[in-house]
Amino acid sequence: MTTTTVATTCTWLPAIAEFGERVEPGRPQEVADVLAACARDNRPVVPFGGGRALPLGNLTDPQALGLSLAGLGAIRSYEATDMTLSVEAGVTLGEINRVLGERGQMIPIEAPEPDSASIGGLLATALTGPRRFGGGTLRDVLIGIEIAYPDGSIGRAGGMVVKNVSGFDMMRLHHGALGSLGVITSANFKVLAKPRNELTFVSPVPDIDTAASISESLRPIADRPVALVIRSTGTSITISARYEGRQSGLQAVRSRVGAIFVGGMVLENEDSADYWQDIINERQYDPVRIWRIQIGCRPSETFAKAQSILASAGSGVRAEIEPGLGTITIEHDGDLDLQALRRTSAGANIRILDAPLVARQLNDIWGEPPSTLDLMRRLKDEYDPGRVLNRGRYAGYL
């Protein structure tokens, strides 16, 4: 196990992989041993993979130990014929894509800069890209998991059988928990066949109403894209739809959907994939960016919410609207009245992704405490009674 002490002037965490002390275990049991030692010393721990999502969450203890999972970088098992994969938490999405791609397979997940995005981090944060609309999340392909706990133990659930439902709840419990209940050390997935071809329609539209009309036209299953995003820069609005499948099927889609996307362009295969990766890369956390806020609502309410938010937020606001997912993400480089935004977005869930330090100090970035907060506290009491893992970082300052 590697221990590193680095100088830092940060007075808060999460920061971009800056810690007074950082350790990098090489085996799952070493991870559990570190957690147990920190629990005995009442020292908080911030686990991380590639470190790109460290700014996500509330501020936590500046004396926290940085626990890097980069040392857990083994692919334990890959059975292409059984379509199963087992990897340690530090393996990057880029490496997984290369290994599976050689056999025409994939897992349906996207991330900014995939060569530095660890699979453990993607599970813990539950971060996804636009493909979630048609491809789901890691939660949908997770079939087994291994977790290190602050009592020094290693827990396991599921296995390497696609239909295995043993430990189902425990596996899903850690998806999106931000490492607040335990540290993911490895995971097993069912893998999918990689689509042979893809194409993307990109078209400018005059207003949000037109984008809503086009989106409504794409609701039939035959014309439903795997990703649909409307981007507003303040001066222009663009709608993009991504399709995947066999060439013959895509030719039919091109004929039907092409008539809807008037005055735009069509991107195919690598050009299409690169276009969406560029969109995803812009979503990575940036300490320089002033405000980035995600509003979640019912898909049927997305465009109405977007209209009112953009009208009230003023000039300089950029937005990404994903109607199939019910999310609106806005960016703003100037002053933003968070309380006014919450009033405008009444009934929606607001999560701060990037914000000035003072806003982080004054607000729970996850928004209003969820109705399940008492249950979440009981789970925290059960798995991490000493509040060692990501102390104060999760919703409700858990």
Side-chain angles (χ1 to χ4, degrees):
M1 177 170 61
T2 302
T3 302
T4 305
T5 301
V6 295
T8 177
T9 58
C10 290
T11 58
W12 60 280
L13 286 175
I16 304 301
E18 295 184 6
F19 300 93
E21 187 179 3
R22 185 191 310 176
V23 295
E24 188 176 296
R27 297 185 298 111
Q29 188 56 55
E30 290 182 356
V31 176
D33 292 343
V34 169
L35 297 182
C38 288
R40 289 193 297 270
D41 295 340
N42 192 31
R43 184 177 185 182
V45 176
V46 175
F48 65 94
R52 295 300 182 111
L54 277 171
L56 175 64
N58 295 313
L59 306 184
T60 189
D61 196 315
Q63 301 304 314
L65 175 71
L67 177 59
S68 170
L69 280 301
L72 302 183
I75 295 179
R76 293 184 174 179
S77 174
Y78 172 38
E79 299 295 338
T81 54
D82 293 336
M83 303 187 76
T84 58
L85 172 74
S86 178
V87 293
E88 292 186 332
V91 176
T92 67
L93 179 60
E95 183 177 358
I96 290 173
N97 287 342
R98 285 188 288 274
V99 170
L100 297 185
E102 292 176 357
R103 303 297 294 270
Q105 297 177 337
M106 69 170 191
I107 53 175
I109 192 69
E110 303 161 300
E113 307 295 343
D115 282 331
S116 51
S118 72
I119 196 67
L122 291 172
L123 276 169
T125 58
L127 295 176
T128 59
R131 262 190 112 269
R132 178 187 169 192
F133 181 43
T137 70
L138 283 178
R139 185 179 187 273
D140 300 306
V141 293
L142 183 65
I143 58 173
I145 199 167
E146 180 182 82
I147 305 288
Y149 292 109
D151 64 359
S153 66
I154 298 288
R156 298 177 180 85
M160 285 293 287
V161 181
V162 171
K163 293 185 178 181
N164 189 347
V165 295
S166 174
F168 180 92
D169 291 338
M170 177 180 153
M171 286 191 290
R172 275 53 177 184
L173 189 65
H174 291 279
H175 179 257
L178 209 63
S180 63
L181 301 176
V183 176
I184 298 169
T185 54
S186 72
N188 307 336
F189 303 97
K190 62 179 179 181
V191 302
L192 308 177
K194 186 177 181 179
R196 295 182 180 181
N197 301 279
E198 67 171 87
L199 62 83
T200 293
F201 298 92
V202 184
S203 180
V205 292
D207 48 46
I208 296 296
D209 286 337
T210 303
S213 177
I214 292 175
S215 299
E216 182 67 20
S217 301
L218 302 179
R219 289 188 63 184
I221 295 297
D223 295 330
R224 179 173 171 169
V226 297
L228 179 65
V229 173
I230 295 89
R231 307 181 87 196
S232 171
T233 64
T235 58
S236 64
I237 302 174
T238 302
I239 182 170
S240 305
R242 184 180 193 178
Y243 293 85
E244 297 174 335
R246 295 179 180 273
Q247 190 62 39
S248 57
L250 292 183
Q251 287 176 351
V253 168
R254 183 193 287 266
S255 176
R256 293 191 305 270
V257 177
I260 300 173
F261 284 80
V262 179
M265 61 180 178
V266 180
L267 304 173
E268 297 187 66
N269 299 326
E270 289 187 10
D271 290 337
S272 171
D274 290 344
Y275 173 83
W276 288 97
Q277 187 61 53
D278 287 343
I279 289 178
I280 298 160
N281 287 344
E282 292 179 12
R283 297 183 177 187
Q284 60 189 323
Y285 291 87
D286 183 353
V288 177
R289 183 160 38 206
I290 297 181
W291 286 101
R292 187 162 64 111
I293 296 176
Q294 188 175 83
I295 300 99
C297 59
R298 293 190 182 96
S300 60
E301 300 174 350
T302 307
F303 284 109
K305 290 286 185 186
Q307 290 272 36
S308 61
I309 289 168
L310 291 174
S312 63
S315 61
V317 173
R318 300 173 297 280
E320 282 192 352
I321 304 164
E322 296 179 80
L325 303 178
T327 62
I328 306 154
T329 305
I330 64 171
E331 294 182 9
H332 193 30
D333 294 333
D335 295 330
L336 187 68
D337 188 337
L338 186 58
Q339 299 309 317
L341 178 63
R342 283 177 170 159
R343 288 192 297 271
T344 304
S345 307
N349 177 55
I350 294 181
R351 182 172 67 166
I352 301 172
L353 302 178
D354 287 310
L357 178 57
V358 65
R360 288 178 172 273
Q361 292 170 330
L362 297 175
N363 296 276
D364 184 342
I365 71 99
W366 302 98
E368 295 297 321
S371 59
T372 56
L373 184 59
D374 286 343
L375 174 60
M376 292 163 62
R377 284 175 175 153
R378 291 199 296 272
L379 288 170
K380 186 71 169 175
D381 289 340
E382 177 69 24
Y383 288 99
D384 182 22
R387 301 300 195 266
V388 169
L389 288 163
N390 276 320
R391 184 176 294 170
R393 189 177 172 190
Y394 201 57
Y397 299 103
L398 290 178

